[in-house]
Amino acid sequence: MPRVFWTWTKFEFMVYPHFLHRTDCDYFFLKERMLKFHQVKHIFDILDKMRCLRKRSTVSFLGVLVIFLLFMNLYIEDSYVMEGDKQILRETSTHQLSPEHYMHTFKDLSNFSGALNVTYRYLAVMPLQRKRFLTIGLSSVRRKKGSYLLETIKSIFEQSSYEELKELSVVVHLADFNSSWREVMLQDITQKFAHHIIAGRLMVIHAPEEYYPILSGLKRNYNDPEDRVRFRSKQNVDYAFLLNFCANISYYYVMLEDDVRCSKNFLTAIKKVIASLEGTYWVTLEFSKLGYIGKLYHSHDLPRLAHFLLMFYQEMPCDWLLTHFRSLLAQKNVIRFKPSLFQHMGYYSSYKGTENKLKDDDFEEEPFDLPDNPPASLYTNMSVFENYDASKAYSSVDDYFWGKPPSTGDVFVIIFEKPIVIKRIKVNTGTEDRQNDILHHGALDVGGNIRYFKQNRQCVTYIKLGEFRNGNFEVSDVNQKIPFDIHCMRIYVTKTQKEWLIIRSISIWTS
């Protein structure tokens, strides 16, 4: 059985160098230092050959002087590298987060694609054999009342299937500066989840206090008390160091708190959502409406997000900064999915042990069988109202298509990227507050014979599957009723109506 590395020694640093979070800049300066070492060695060789010169004392003095200057230059450059990020922090922390300075600073931040210069303490880590699909990041500190971290870790693993566990990594950042608390928590984690640590699914780390910026005398934005400002500012840095560590572990990253319960097979649900958004630009996907629970990112954005949180650590709470980050990367609207996959379960906050009864009423412990909705192009000839476009009816986002009164012959067409075998189709129109904006008279067709017309793909023949009843349509066992793979699906208006039309959701389950 492989040995679990509960602590990180100098020897293990040598054995597993790929765990070191180094930037390209670090390697560049390492190369420079090696070059200067050879230069110094060359000077010594020259001095050795010049022993026969008559002015030996003068030459020795000059040689020593040159060596001294070279080492001074090396020291200055090393100090510059070590203090680089701290200097940025000092400069940016003296400014208010005004829109002009915010945009100017973030333009510089866009170049920060490298890792932060942090040496972590690896409390419980096994080397990863391959890159995973998803990393879940948890940061935890000592609470005055209650402790939910172990229950959160347990929920993550228990709600995942064996196949899902193969694609999952969990990183826990024990971020409290109290070493006694860390030791107790580490012992509890290693006792309860040793097999997950050995399998490389669970890692426990700590960022030492010396890497943290100043946490006293900070700006009291929003008239927060001083201890509250310190708490949320440190929390931003906790998450920055966690994000920095997780940047290369997987392809995607989801942020959780340490007091969260997960829904059954949440990873499969996330994978379905990501697949349905293939070809679509997004920065953040939200699987809970609470704070920074269930916020999903591309892993390649994590270094930049880490720098961003570290830059503005004292300005505002973490969830507010995450909203600004999303907007600055040109995702204007929230992309949130229902049902929520994560639920806040803590009763006492990690800040002073105050009561926190927040719950996500969209959470489902065992969500209904989520649709597959394979990648597709959507088209309609109906008049679209504002930005309620056709794509919003097809995704799991909490939004819908909204069009002006349709006429006979109007269509809403879905053209799949690849022919598919469909098991089940469900379409819902109207909403609770607009119950009359339904499709009063319509049918649903599927097509399999596709042709290109002026560079556009269209199905030339359709088979009718059925008609809408009270604004809804649902059919099962489609693959037994249709003898071909389906290229297109069409909602067809069979009678003009006076009411506007909302298509709330289109759900497709494939074989």
Side-chain angles (χ1 to χ4, degrees), residues 392-407:
K392 293 183 177 179
Y394 189 63
S395 72
S396 300
V397 178
D398 186 22
D399 216 333
Y400 48 79
F401 164 80
W402 200 3
K404 296 179 180 179
S407 304

Side-chain angles (χ1 to χ4, degrees), residues 10-29:
K10 290 183 180 179
F11 172 75
E12 288 158 347
F13 252 86
M14 297 169 62
V15 174
Y16 301 111
H18 60 282
F19 269 109
L20 297 178
H21 284 256
R22 290 286 188 182
T23 64
D24 292 339
C25 184
D26 293 328
Y27 289 114
F28 171 79
F29 283 102

Side-chain angles (χ1 to χ4, degrees), residues 321-347:
L321 286 174
L322 296 182
T323 300
H324 284 293
F325 181 80
R326 184 203 74 218
S327 299
L328 287 168
L329 290 186
Q331 180 188 316
K332 295 182 179 179
N333 300 318
V334 173
I335 304 177
R336 189 169 75 82
F337 298 88
K338 289 184 179 180
S340 296
L341 301 179
F342 306 100
Q343 176 67 288
H344 178 258
M345 69 174 176
Y347 185 77

